[in-house]
């Protein structure tokens, strides 16, 4: 049995849970209450992860793993899965797609934190604009690739990208990203119907 410090709105937690469902190990994960915050540390998480961030996974031997990339690869190895290609160009393409999806999420979260966690009199619109420029650049790259993406979450890079687009729907609906990136939108419409994506959609 694994224990996972968990937030139902964290896109990185969602990434782990999508992977766990695809790998058939989600029922082995006990979710632990957590309140990760960029300023106010949750000491429950910090007891296992000095960064006090979710997701943090504790395995049956008490080993703590953190960062969604590490946790997903650990679960893939544990389950003898194939979300991470083992060698060659397929591996590097998959890992680069993961970096693209995670980078989109990093920028979106930094823009979100500026409004959510920073006092109004200290907020910097230039910072938000800079992060959203990264989001749009990531979307443009996804648009250029999406025609050849699988519509099932059989690759860690596609899971990361899918969770990134889902987070935009959840927190940045006003971006109306589908209008400008129709190929990515068509891919995501199919990908997002997979049971692992449906079951992990964020809720407040």
């Amino acid at each position: 049995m694994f224990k996972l410090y968990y937030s139902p709105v964290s896109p990185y937690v969602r990434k782990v849970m999508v992977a766990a469902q695809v790998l058939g190990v989600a029922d082995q994960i006990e979710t632990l209450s957590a309140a990760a915050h960029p300023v106010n540390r949750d000491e429950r998480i910090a007891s296992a992860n000095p960064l006090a961030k979710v997701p943090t996974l504790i395995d049956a031997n008490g080993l703590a793993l953190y960062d969604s990339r590490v946790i997903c690869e650990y679960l893939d190895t544990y389950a003898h899965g194939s979300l991470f290609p083992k060698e060659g160009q397929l591996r590097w393409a998959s890992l680069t797609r993961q970096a693209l999806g995670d980078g989109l999420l990093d920028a979106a979260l930094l823009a979100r934190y500026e409004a959510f966690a920073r006092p109004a009199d200290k907020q910097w619109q230039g910072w938000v604009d800079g992060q959203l420029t990264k989001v749009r650049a990531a979307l443009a790259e996804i648009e250029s690739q999406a025609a050849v993406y699988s519509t099932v979450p059989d690759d860690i890079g596609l899971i990361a990208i899918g969770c990134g687009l889902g987070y935009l729907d959840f927190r940045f609906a006003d971006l109306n990203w589908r209008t400008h990136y129709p190929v990515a939108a068509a891919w995501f419409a199919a990908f997002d119907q997979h049971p692992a994506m449906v079951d992990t959609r964020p809720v407040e």
Side-chain angles (χ1 to χ4, degrees):
M1 175 69 77
F2 302 103
K3 296 181 178 180
L4 181 73
Y5 284 100
Y6 175 91
S7 165
V9 300
S10 165
Y12 292 113
V13 169
R14 184 184 190 191
K15 182 180 158 192
V16 167
M17 293 307 297
V18 170
Q21 285 209 26
V22 171
L23 293 166
V25 299
D27 61 351
Q28 298 180 45
I29 297 176
E30 175 190 357
T31 56
L32 303 178
S33 217
H37 189 277
V39 178
N40 303 317
R41 284 170 63 83
D42 184 334
E43 294 302 327
R44 294 170 297 181
I45 312 171
S47 68
N49 175 355
L51 303 174
K53 296 170 69 174
V54 293
T56 295
L57 184 80
I58 303 171
D59 77 0
N61 297 313
L63 175 66
L65 300 112
Y66 29 93
D67 189 284
S68 65
R69 290 166 291 190
V70 174
I71 296 170
C72 287
E73 189 156 9
Y74 175 92
L75 293 176
D76 192 60
T77 301
Y78 169 81
H80 305 289
S82 57
L83 297 180
F84 290 79
K86 303 306 181 191
E87 59 186 21
Q89 291 299 108
L90 289 176
R91 176 170 176 78
W92 302 122
S94 177
L95 293 181
T96 300
R97 284 192 294 268
Q98 180 178 215
L100 179 62
D102 285 355
L104 185 157
L105 279 174
D106 289 345
L109 282 164
L110 288 172
R112 161 82 176 160
Y113 290 156
E114 188 70 12
F116 167 71
R118 191 182 293 277
D121 63 335
K122 294 181 171 60
Q123 291 175 17
W124 181 18
Q125 187 59 44
W127 173 267
V128 174
D129 293 343
Q131 301 311 314
L132 293 181
T133 294
K134 295 177 187 178
V135 168
R136 293 186 182 96
L139 285 167
E141 182 62 20
I142 295 165
E143 177 76 0
S144 74
Q145 300 179 9
V148 299
Y149 286 173
S150 167
T151 55
V152 296
D154 57 3
D155 172 274
I156 193 59
L158 299 183
I159 291 173
I161 288 170
C163 290
L165 298 180
Y167 187 73
L168 294 184
D169 285 348
F170 182 54
R171 292 298 194 200
F172 292 90
D174 58 330
L175 284 181
N176 197 22
W177 66 269
R178 287 175 177 78
T179 298
H180 305 289
Y181 307 99
V183 178
W187 169 76
F188 184 62
F191 187 85
D192 197 41
Q193 293 307 307
H194 188 278
M197 292 294 290
V198 172
D199 290 347
T200 59
R201 284 180 186 154
V203 293
E204 289 288 6

